[in-house]
Amino acid sequence: MRWHGETLVGFDLETTGTEPLEARIVTAAVVEVRDGRTLARREWLADPGVRIPAQASAIHGISSERATAEGRPAHEVADEIADTLAGYWTRGVPVVAYNAAFDLTLLTAELRRHGLPSLSERLGGAPIGPVVDPYTIDRAVDRYRRGKRNLEAVCAEYGVVLDGAHEAAADALAAVLVACAIAERHAVVAALTPGELHARQVEWYAAWAADFQSFLRRKGTPDAVVDPVWPVRAPEPERGPVAESAPVAG
């Protein structure tokens, strides 16, 4: 059976902002899916330890007051999410995240911030993965399609119902359904193994980053930098202006 007919795990974060190395986790969800059916689901509400900007609250609906009153300590939430993802990877189950470079980089930054083991350390030093990122895949296999590429727009393109956008569990489930729909439409994606697909996404993301960086520099931002690393962006001590492709607040 091809990968999109096997068990997949959707992962999504809703956060305090759009910079993954600085933003904090507010809500998170991990949803286990097979053949479009939800088999298991875990959700978290964190107290991020910083005030949630009004712009972010307007998107995901979580206020600072609610996060403080009802949320669990950020380090506990980050630790449990990381253990959950590592457990699936240990079993060979792909983790699906829409714009994975945002969510996985943010989670990695949170683990580092709280002095917790990294995702790789939880895998005995092995690289993380396989990861399936419908955002990166869709951009590669349907490069010239016009219009937005956010989750809502791509759900509409592939006929996936998104019930509750910017609610972590809904977004995580939608990411899995979109990934499967892309595989159904594009045989070249369906034919790859999860490991092969992970490797191709590394290449596709780097190629997109180089193209987008060149575009920005041609359009008047000569120092623009678009990080080519996927699925986890490494922190750097000093950087020039960086163009982000992450959605607001998750």
Side-chain angles (χ1 to χ4, degrees):
M1 184 178 290
R2 294 184 173 185
W3 64 267
H4 60 290
E6 302 286 353
T7 299
L8 300 168
V9 173
F11 168 53
D12 184 70
L13 300 176
E14 298 299 323
T15 68
T16 60
T18 61
E19 168 48 64
L21 296 175
E22 298 176 2
R24 311 297 177 90
I25 296 170
V26 177
T27 64
V30 172
V31 181
E32 185 176 335
V33 182
R34 188 184 179 99
D35 292 330
R37 295 181 297 108
T38 298
L39 305 179
R41 182 171 76 178
R42 291 194 67 181
E43 298 180 71
W44 294 265
L45 172 61
D47 176 0
V50 299
R51 187 149 191 87
I52 302 172
Q55 181 185 15
S57 294
I59 291 170
H60 53 57
I62 308 297
S63 66
S64 291
E65 291 73 21
R66 180 182 171 191
T68 300
E70 303 177 19
R72 294 175 53 206
H75 70 277
E76 292 183 4
V77 169
D79 195 37
E80 288 183 12
I81 296 168
D83 267 351
T84 301
L85 297 182
Y88 281 111
W89 280 321
T90 298
R91 291 161 46 195
V93 178
V95 171
V96 183
Y98 198 85
N99 197 6
F102 177 82
D103 295 82
L104 291 174
T105 297
L106 195 152
L107 175 59
T108 296
E110 284 274 46
L111 296 174
R112 186 181 299 110
R113 184 175 292 120
H114 296 291
L116 297 168
S118 69
L119 292 167
S120 178
E121 288 169 339
R122 294 165 198 261
L123 297 171
I128 69 168
V131 175
V132 177
D133 180 358
Y135 181 52
T136 295
I137 299 168
D138 176 61
R139 201 164 49 191
V141 298
D142 199 354
R143 179 178 179 182
Y144 298 107
R145 188 179 76 245
R146 295 188 176 186
K148 295 181 178 180
R149 299 273 181 166
N150 58 29
L151 181 58
E152 294 94 327
V154 176
C155 280
E157 170 66 25
Y158 287 95
V160 171
V161 175
L162 175 55
D163 185 14
H166 299 295
E167 191 276 318
D171 285 0
L173 174 59
V176 173
L177 298 179
V178 167
C180 293
I182 293 172
E184 289 291 340
R185 183 181 295 186
H186 298 280
V188 66
V189 175
L192 299 170
T193 68
E196 291 168 341
L197 182 57
H198 184 107
R200 292 297 297 275
Q201 289 170 97
V202 172
E203 298 170 358
W204 289 337
Y205 192 91
W208 165 81
D211 285 347
F212 188 41
Q213 180 174 289
S214 296
F215 169 80
L216 292 174
R217 292 183 177 187
R218 290 196 309 270
K219 292 297 182 178
T221 311
D223 296 327
V225 175
V226 181
D227 197 301
V229 178
W230 181 95
V232 177
R233 191 175 115 192
E236 297 182 20
E238 294 185 8
R239 304 173 60 88
V242 177
E244 293 296 334
S245 61
V248 174

